[in-house]
Amino acid sequence: GLSAGSLVDRRNAEFLRAATMFSCQQPCVCEADELRCSRSCPRSRADISRQDTGEICVPPCRPQIRHFARYSASPDQPLLGMPLREGGLLHLSKQDRFEPVIFHLYVNGFAFSTADGFEASVSLSPFSIVRNCRFQSGDCSHLKSFKVALYERDLCCYFAVQTLGEREAEDERFDWVMAISQSILLIADSILPPYSVTCEPNKGAPWTIRRLMAGYLVHLTEGDSISVFFCELQAHSDGESHMLLYANDSCQAPVKDISITKCCKCFGVVGINSASFVIDTSYFAAATPSSRKLWLRALNNVQVKIANQAPNPSLEELEHYRSAIRERLSELHGNPETDVREKISPRALLSTLSRKDELLAATPEDVGKKWSVFRPDMAPAEATLADAVPVDKGSPTASKIF
């Protein structure tokens, strides 16, 4: 039988396929890497074997890259296609009261309008989250409310359903938050290549010999800019591990090296159907909640080994770790031998950025307009079964995948 996570992913996929009937911009093609290492990387048998000391030899030469595709995560991008869902909701205004609005959900964001003519639109990103919430006092405390948040900025839009009945209000809120969360997943899917997680080192890049798992992730780079990198989690060595970010799966051009120690904070961003997670101050988003969970468990297990001062793994031990991850992949996707992930959206739902776009300074009026519909996070979130599954804590008895 299928696991609960697989059933949720399948339900999400069915919904998202139905949402792809829209017109939008042409897909982005990542810039080809033109940079090469000034020195040739050694490719002798020592690169993929153990030295006399018993240590795995990793070539020190790693070429660098400066150019890679960037997308805008700004909330003021144009909404695409026709609304996927429309209806009446209540919106928490700046006057701290809920007022009726007509809410339109699009494939890449939402818009709402009031009876007095006020209109607003918000484009979502892979790092947006939606959660049920409640207000503890006042006239709003009895409403079934939810918030759409930009996690990294602690800004929210608050909405509530208008249905009077308790059960009907709960069901309607569930439908809205599920639909919004699936639009967020579709945005990530639209910019991620159709490539699943792999555990195999790249034969053309001998420095990947310590690879545990690797795959494409969305990464929040700076400001409103996000990029897609091929991310590789390496096994622990000498008390630390590394998450290497490459421009593509050829792994010839490392862009960033994130050091992982026992003190790093690795956690999932809690939200309904959330696929994003954090490594210290670095934000990532996977294609699905199940993929996010796999990354976090692998990170957690690496930290456990570092905390327990485990010796550096041999090639045989590395293969054992990879086999455990492949087993998890088989549970999630059914076929761990293929590197191809089923892609739902064929076109990017985010605007591409050039370096010139990033360097253009926004005026204070532009900044104020961009964030005008958001409020600081102020209502506690409700714990729901649809929220992210917590990751096992770093302890010797924690559930492990390797």
Side-chain angles (χ1 to χ4, degrees), residues 25-281:
Q25 62 194 41
Q26 292 298 317
C28 169
V29 178
C30 295
E31 298 179 33
D33 172 31
E34 299 296 337
L35 299 180
R36 293 293 182 266
C37 183
S38 59
R39 299 176 297 163
S40 60
C41 296
R43 300 180 185 276
S44 66
R45 61 183 179 86
D47 295 336
I48 53 176
S49 62
R50 299 175 66 186
Q51 294 178 324
D52 294 339
T53 59
E55 294 295 328
I56 299 174
C57 179
V58 180
C61 176
R62 291 184 178 135
Q64 297 297 315
I65 187 171
R66 292 189 297 269
H67 303 290
F68 46 88
R70 298 178 187 266
Y71 299 88
S72 172
S74 174
D76 59 353
Q77 299 178 58
L79 302 181
L80 304 174
M82 300 297 293
L84 303 177
R85 181 184 173 97
E86 299 176 302
L89 289 174
L90 298 174
H91 171 248
L92 183 62
S93 67
K94 289 187 176 181
Q95 289 73 37
D96 290 333
R97 66 172 182 270
F98 276 104
E99 56 185 9
V101 297
I102 302 299
F103 189 94
H104 308 269
L105 177 63
Y106 290 81
V107 72
N108 68 323
F110 61 88
F112 59 92
S113 58
T114 62
D116 59 7
F118 173 79
E119 296 181 352
S121 67
V122 176
S123 57
L124 300 171
S125 84
F127 299 98
S128 304
I129 60 171
V130 57
R131 293 199 68 185
N132 295 335
C133 63
R134 64 176 180 273
F135 294 86
Q136 297 179 340
S137 61
D139 297 336
C140 304
S141 59
H142 68 284
L143 296 173
K144 297 296 182 181
S145 54
F146 63 91
K147 59 185 178 183
V148 183
L150 305 180
Y151 178 79
E152 72 280 5
R153 294 182 180 272
D154 290 328
L155 297 174
C156 304
C157 284
Y158 292 91
F159 298 94
V161 299
Q162 302 185 69
T163 308
L164 295 179
E166 179 82 10
R167 180 62 180 271
E168 292 81 3
E170 193 71 55
D171 290 344
E172 184 178 351
R173 179 174 66 170
F174 175 83
D175 291 340
W176 276 113
V177 297
M178 286 297 293
I180 295 171
S181 71
Q182 288 159 346
S183 288
I184 295 171
L185 289 176
L186 182 58
I187 295 170
D189 175 86
S190 74
I191 62 175
L192 284 168
Y195 190 106
S196 187
V197 172
T198 182
C199 300
E200 306 303 322
N202 191 325
K203 294 181 180 179
W207 48 84
T208 64
I209 189 65
R210 290 188 178 276
R211 173 181 295 177
L212 292 176
M213 60 183 292
Y216 283 98
L217 294 171
V218 184
H219 177 49
L220 184 66
T221 50
E222 54 186 26
D224 292 335
S225 171
I226 64 176
S227 298
V228 175
F229 292 124
F230 189 75
C231 301
E232 175 185 87
L233 176 62
Q234 295 194 335
H236 65 283
S237 176
D238 298 329
E240 66 176 1
S241 177
H242 294 270
M243 175 81 103
L244 295 179
L245 279 58
Y246 298 95
N248 51 56
D249 54 89
S250 68
C251 299
Q252 297 298 316
V255 177
K256 188 176 182 180
D257 184 343
I258 300 176
S259 178
I260 299 170
T261 67
K262 64 180 181 180
C263 299
C264 284
K265 295 182 179 179
C266 303
F267 59 92
V269 176
V270 180
I272 294 176
N273 270 340
S274 173
S276 56
F277 62 97
V278 180
I279 303 176
D280 269 351
T281 59

